[in-house]
Amino acid sequence: MGKTFESSELEKGKTHIIVEIIEYMANAVVSKTIIKKTTGNVTISSFDAGEELDEKISPFDTYIQIIDGTAEITINDKVFKLKLGEGIVIPAHAKHHFNANEQFKMISTVIKSGYEDL
C-alpha cells in the first residue's frame, strides 16, 4: 500500500471542474478538502490502481459518489462496484473500506448529525 496525502480546503467563491481538482499520484491515495465544518465535510480523493484504505467505522452517514473510474467499496462485508456517476450511502457505524482495482476519484460527503437518534 502506498502513501496518503491530504491538502488544504478548496478556495471559496471560485468555480472549478470537480474531476480536475485532484490528480492521480503513483502508488498513493490523495485527498483534498472542499468544505470542512463542525457539522460535516466534503472531500475529494483519488486512488491509484492497487491502493486501498484500511477498514474503518464512522459514527456518521457518509455519501460517496464516483467521479472518475470504477471503485470497489466494501460495507459490512458486502462488496459494491461503483461506476462513474454512481453513489452510495455508507450508514453510520458500518465497517467499510475502499479498494482500487483501477484508478478512481470520488467525492465523500459526511453529515455529522444523528443526534436525532438519541
Side-chain angles (χ1 to χ4, degrees):
M1 191 160 99
K3 298 180 179 177
T4 302
F5 299 92
E6 180 142 355
S7 58
S8 61
E9 191 171 338
L10 195 65
E11 184 180 344
K12 293 177 175 74
K14 183 177 178 184
T15 62
H16 56 269
I17 298 172
I18 195 72
V19 75
E20 294 178 358
I21 290 173
I22 199 163
E23 297 298 323
Y24 291 108
M25 187 177 294
N27 305 310
V29 176
V30 181
S31 295
K32 182 171 184 69
T33 301
I34 296 174
I35 300 170
K36 185 170 187 163
K37 304 290 181 196
T38 56
T39 53
N41 58 62
V42 178
T43 305
I44 185 171
S45 300
S46 69
F47 288 68
D48 192 23
E51 294 302 306
E52 60 182 29
L53 287 182
D54 291 336
E55 185 174 88
K56 69 178 195 174
I57 296 173
S58 171
F60 309 108
D61 288 341
T62 303
Y63 180 69
I64 301 297
Q65 182 180 6
I66 305 306
I67 59 170
D68 190 44
T70 302
E72 182 178 286
I73 302 172
T74 304
I75 303 171
N76 288 333
D77 301 320
K78 184 174 181 183
V79 177
F80 298 89
K81 293 192 187 309
L82 275 64
K83 299 180 301 231
L84 175 65
E86 292 183 328
I88 192 166
V89 175
I90 301 171
H93 310 292
K95 63 181 181 172
H96 61 279
H97 74 275
F98 299 89
N99 186 30
N101 294 322
E102 63 179 77
Q103 287 184 328
F104 75 91
K105 294 179 183 178
M106 70 177 191
I107 298 173
S108 170
T109 305
V110 178
I111 305 299
K112 293 184 178 179
S113 64
Y115 302 108
E116 64 274 6
D117 297 335
L118 297 178

